[in-house]
Amino acid sequence: MKHRRISRKRAAVSGGAVVALLGAAVTFQTANASDDVPQFEARVLSADAAGKLASSLDAKLTDGDTAGAYYDAESRTLVVTVVDEGAAATVRQAGGTARVVEHSLAELKSARQTLKTRATIPGTSWAVDPVTNKVVVTADSTVKGASWEKLDQVVKGLGGKAELKRAAGTFTPFVAGGDAIHSGGGRCSLGFNVVKDGEPHFITAGHCGDTGSSWSDTRGGEPVGTMVDSQFPGNDFALVKYDKDVEHPSAVNLYDGGSQEITQAADATVGMRVTRSGSTTQVHEGEVTGLDATVNYGNGQIVEGLIQTTVCAEPGDSGGSLFSGDAAVGLTSGGSGDCTSGGTTFFQPVTEALEAYGAQIG
């Protein structure tokens, strides 16, 4: 698993509350002109600076005050969704632009709970979209008849807090990354090399294998690592410890003779441009369309907290790398469609896996 390191392509947008949105129609709030009303101008910010500002506002605003924020790349300002003028004033004073929306994050989380309680149906997913201020519910081609009617009624019952969409194909874990990894005749993809307790490991998808399984970098080859933990369903990540002294650079294979150096981990943001590398379909690009997605793959395999994207993937890409510039973002979990017709793909956030294992990119 050798990689040639190259310079970063583009910087990742940081800050879990920020949504990167190009050319967004932003509602800018202006205070009534008055000698005794302070006037604030929105600060012109880089994407990274906007992420830091959003993080600072997270400590000042509650789920009842806001429904998230996004970075408007055209005006280079941070736009924060709020539900009242009190929260809007806090945003403006900090240098952001306030956009008044109907539903708070607390209300959207309540809508998600209703879906979980009343509409846990195989072949469905749901995620909060801070741009539309709704929970977007997606059903694959297997959801029909009575199941579709039930889902449609639950979504309609949520009023303007949710909308229902259809996805082509079937939501399935992509079993069959960067480089290919093999175990017992099966193939997945390596996600990212990490360090835990000073020892080299790598992370991949939890559905790829069980704790104690051995992994090699060639089909039928001598094992180079052992899976020391696997979490699926619920989560979809696993940790493999290297048993042999092999090269393990902090980089992703670009399948063009080069590689992308990975120096950090970052939270995904809606609108973020991302790239996926996997051993079946190699390298493809797309963007993040939803966060904290719940996906029901069927057979009791429900995974929560996933990143929803437009990046295509196919069986064998499971566990592979989702990244933005030099930042590790996700591990390929599953989805619908393919890299010919396109589709929806879900990713396990890397930051959650690193936190669970006490590991670092490296």
Side-chain angles (χ1 to χ4, degrees):
M1 290 176 276
K2 297 183 179 180
H3 305 277
R4 179 172 63 83
R5 297 191 178 189
I6 61 175
S7 60
R8 69 184 64 181
K9 287 186 173 180
R10 52 187 177 273
V13 181
S14 61
V18 185
V19 176
L21 185 65
L22 301 178
V26 179
T27 302
F28 292 93
Q29 305 298 317
T30 56
N32 293 327
S34 172
D35 292 339
D36 57 358
V37 176
Q39 303 294 304
F40 300 101
E41 288 190 9
R43 293 162 52 193
V44 176
L45 302 166
S46 67
D48 284 345
K52 293 176 182 177
L53 176 58
S55 295
S56 70
L57 284 169
D58 278 347
K60 300 177 181 179
L61 300 173
T62 69
D63 287 354
D65 297 324
T66 179
Y70 56 84
Y71 179 64
D72 180 356
E74 186 174 339
S75 63
R76 298 180 63 198
T77 58
L78 178 72
V79 183
V80 184
T81 60
V82 295
V83 297
D84 59 42
E85 280 301 314
T90 299
V91 172
R92 296 188 194 108
Q93 186 173 5
T97 298
R99 174 189 166 199
V100 178
V101 296
E102 182 177 359
H103 308 297
S104 69
L105 187 57
E107 291 175 307
L108 297 181
K109 285 183 176 180
S110 176
R112 285 173 54 94
Q113 185 59 44
T114 298
L115 287 161
K116 183 176 181 179
T117 302
R118 299 181 54 199
T120 298
I121 299 170
T124 60
S125 71
W126 51 78
V128 172
D129 180 2
V131 180
T132 62
N133 193 227
K134 295 179 180 180
V135 177
V136 177
V137 183
T138 306
D140 72 13
S141 60
T142 67
V143 182
K144 48 193 173 184
S147 294
W148 174 267
E149 291 298 325
K150 178 180 179 180
L151 183 63
D152 186 48
Q153 288 302 312
V154 173
V155 171
K156 286 179 178 177
L158 293 171
K161 293 191 286 293
E163 65 175 307
L164 179 58
K165 293 184 177 182
R166 174 71 83 176
T170 304
F171 291 151
T172 56
F174 288 133
V175 183
D179 293 333
I181 51 175
H182 303 265
S183 178
R187 173 171 59 85
C188 273
S189 299
L190 188 149
F192 298 96
N193 282 314
V194 300
V195 176
K196 173 179 170 59
D197 300 328
E199 300 291 335
H201 296 68
F202 68 81
I203 51 177
T204 187
H207 73 261
C208 284
D210 298 323
T211 300
S213 56
S214 295
W215 292 83
S216 64
D217 55 1
T218 59
R219 184 179 298 277
E222 184 178 351
V224 298
T226 301
M227 189 169 283
V228 295
D229 185 72
S230 177
Q231 298 193 26
F232 179 82
N235 295 310
D236 196 2
F237 54 78
L239 182 69
V240 177
K241 182 178 181 180
Y242 282 106
D243 297 326
K244 292 185 63 178
D245 185 15
V246 297
E247 275 194 79
H248 43 82
S250 186
V252 173
N253 191 349
L254 296 180
Y255 287 93
D256 61 0
S259 61
Q260 169 63 58
E261 183 178 14
I262 301 298
T263 65
Q264 60 180 317
D267 291 324
T269 62
V270 174
M272 176 189 281
R273 295 296 301 177
V274 286
T275 303
R276 179 196 55 73
S277 178
S279 61
T280 298
T281 59
Q282 301 184 357
V283 178
H284 289 272
E285 297 184 343
E287 70 175 47
V288 175
T289 57
L291 302 176
D292 196 22
T294 297
V295 185
N296 190 330
Y297 291 125
N299 299 317
Q301 297 177 338
I302 300 174
V303 185
E304 299 181 311
L306 297 179
I307 303 163
Q308 184 171 331
T309 76
T310 62
V311 188
C312 70
E314 296 180 13
D317 289 326
S318 280
S321 322
L322 184 74
F323 57 98
S324 181
D326 67 344
V329 176
L331 305 168
T332 307
S333 176
S336 65
D338 54 42
C339 287
T340 299
S341 59
T344 300
T345 305
F346 301 94
F347 296 83
Q348 166 69 52
V350 163
T351 51
E352 182 183 359
L354 294 178
E355 182 178 2
Y357 291 133
Q360 301 82 39
I361 292 294

